[in-house]
Amino acid sequence: MRMGIGYDIHPLVEGRKLILGGEELAFPLGLQGHSDADVLSHALGDALLGAAGLGDIGRHFPDTEEAYRGVSSLKLLTEIARLVRSAGYEIVNADVTVILQRPRLAGSRARMEKNISRALGLEEGRVNIKATTNEGLDAIGRGEAIAAYAVAAVEGKKI
Ligand code: MG
């Protein structure tokens, strides 16, 4: 069994869709970034790559690459799951904490878990998503950014 950790943060700006865990949320601001800027999926992708000893998301999907402009981060997660399995590991579980002041994620959390489970080829119950505010403190608390932490566990496939 191996563990990995991931962290990401993106600024909230006008003129962008807000996509978290593959769900488009009704909100006046969205996350800035080269891809769809799905900060939750990026943190999780880094945790999965880290658990398998495969580096990080920036190494596999550079933000200088035109091919990844506006790309759905769920597609990146599908590719990451393929890389993890090619390296001889199966994904055991993943746990994500999203830190944001607004909007509330309670109503969309289950759909996010489903989107991510599907993207990773996992049965339900292996991906857990939580949300917390920053109690009004710092840039996240002022609603200027959203961050996410993730941990993931993988285990070596039996031969
Ligand atoms: Mg990112």
Side-chain angles (χ1 to χ4, degrees), residues 7-10 32-33 35 37-39 42-43 57:
Y7 169 78
D8 197 22
I9 185 167
H10 283 259
Q32 188 171 51
S35 64
D38 185 341
V39 67
H42 293 181
I57 204 166

Side-chain angles (χ1 to χ4, degrees), residues 20-43:
L20 285 174
E23 280 293 301
E24 185 178 333
L25 304 176
F27 195 62
L29 306 175
L31 294 172
Q32 188 171 51
H34 182 73
S35 64
D36 64 1
D38 185 341
V39 67
L40 188 166
S41 297
H42 293 181

Side-chain angles (χ1 to χ4, degrees), residues 48-49 51-54 60-61 77-91 120 154-157 159:
L48 290 164
L49 288 169
L54 293 172
H60 293 278
F61 312 101
L77 284 180
T78 297
E79 176 60 14
I80 286 167
R82 195 190 62 75
L83 290 166
V84 167
R85 292 188 177 107
S86 306
Y89 298 104
E90 188 46 70
I91 300 162
L120 295 175
V154 301
E155 63 184 351
K157 286 182 196 161
I159 301 165

